[in-house]
C-alpha cells in the first residue's frame, strides 16, 4: 500500500511520509485498537533499526500493553516506572540514548539499547504512550522525537 525509500531523502521527509500514511490509514476509522495496530505496523515497517514498536494504553491508572510489533513484551507498567512510565508521569517525550543507564529501566527485551517514548494525550490527558526500542545505542535523536510526536498527536485524535 505504501512504499517509502528510507535511503532517499531526509529523515524529515521520511516522517512527513509516515504522517501522511498514518493520516490516510486512520482517517475513516475510529476504533482505537485498529488504529494503534496499523500505526505500530507502519512504524515497524518503515523506521530502521527497531526491535520493538508499539503502544501502552492507560487503563485504570497503569500502562497496559496495546498493539505492537516485535518480541513479547511486559504487559503492565506502573506510571512513573521505566521509560514508558516516566513519559506517562511527566507527559513529556523520553529519548534515552542508553537504556542501561536510565534509572529504573524495565528490560522487556535485553537486546534493547535505546528507547523513544512519546505520550499520547488528548486535551492534556494521558491516554497512552508510543514506545520504540532499538538494539542500537543512540538510535534516536531530536528529529525522531519530533517526527514521532507528530505521529502521536495525529493518532491521539483518532483513539475514541
Amino acid at each position: 500500500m505504501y512504499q517509502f525509500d528510507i535511503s532517499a531523502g531526509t529523515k524529515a521527509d521520511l516522517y512527513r511520509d509516515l504522517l501522511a500514511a498514518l493520516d490516510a490509514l486512520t482517517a475513516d476509522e475510529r476504533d482505537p485498537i485498529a488504529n494503534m495496530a496499523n500505526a505500530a505496523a507502519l512504524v515497524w515497517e518503515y523506521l530502521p533499526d527497531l526491535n520493538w514498536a508499539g503502544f501502552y494504553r492507560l487503563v485504570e491508572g497503569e500502562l497496559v500493553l496495546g498493539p505492537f510489533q516485535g518480541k513479547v513484551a511486559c504487559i503492565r507498567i506502573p506510571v512513573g516506572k521505566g521509560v514508558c512510565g516516566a513519559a506517562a508521569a511527566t507527559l513529556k517525550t523520553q529519548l534515552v540514548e542508553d537504556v542501561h543507564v536510565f534509572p529504573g529501566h524495565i528490560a522487556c527485551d535485553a537486546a534493547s539499547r535505546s528507547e523513544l517514548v512519546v505520550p499520547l494525550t488528548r486535551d492534556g490527558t494521558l491516554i497512552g504512550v508510543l514506545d520504540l526500542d532499538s538494539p542500537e545505542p543512540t538510535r534516536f535523536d531530536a528529529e525522531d522525537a519530533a517526527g514521532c510526536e507528530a505521529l502521536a498527536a495525529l493518532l491521539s485524535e483518532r483513539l475514541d
Side-chain angles (χ1 to χ4, degrees):
M1 181 194 261
Y2 298 98
Q3 293 295 329
F4 308 142
D5 182 356
I6 62 173
S7 65
T10 66
K11 194 181 283 191
D13 294 334
L14 173 60
Y15 280 107
R16 185 193 64 243
D17 290 345
L18 283 171
L19 187 62
L22 184 62
D23 184 34
L25 282 169
T26 61
D28 295 324
E29 181 56 59
R30 302 311 290 179
D31 184 84
I33 301 300
N35 284 338
M36 284 186 282
N38 265 339
L42 184 70
V43 168
W44 176 260
E45 180 73 22
Y46 292 106
L47 288 185
D49 302 319
L50 299 181
N51 62 333
W52 204 89
F55 297 91
Y56 282 90
R57 304 169 299 116
L58 185 67
V59 178
E60 298 178 3
E62 67 182 336
L63 296 172
V64 178
L65 183 64
F68 70 93
Q69 300 282 312
K71 291 182 179 181
V72 297
C74 302
I75 295 173
R76 294 180 183 272
I77 299 174
V79 171
K81 301 290 183 183
V83 182
C84 288
T90 63
L91 299 181
K92 294 185 191 296
T93 297
Q94 302 292 307
L95 192 161
V96 180
E97 293 182 347
D98 182 355
V99 296
H100 298 298
V101 298
F102 187 88
H105 174 252
I106 300 169
C108 296
D109 180 354
S112 292
R113 294 290 311 277
S114 58
E115 190 167 0
L116 176 64
V117 181
V118 178
L120 300 170
T121 62
R122 187 177 315 115
D123 301 323
T125 301
L126 181 73
I127 54 178
V129 299
L130 167 62
D131 181 18
L132 305 179
D133 293 0
S134 174
E136 303 293 323
T138 68
R139 157 61 183 89
F140 305 106
D141 61 20
E143 215 170 353
D144 293 300
C148 287
E149 286 168 349
L151 295 172
L154 173 69
L155 190 60
S156 292
E157 296 303 317
R158 296 181 178 168
L159 298 179
D160 287 339

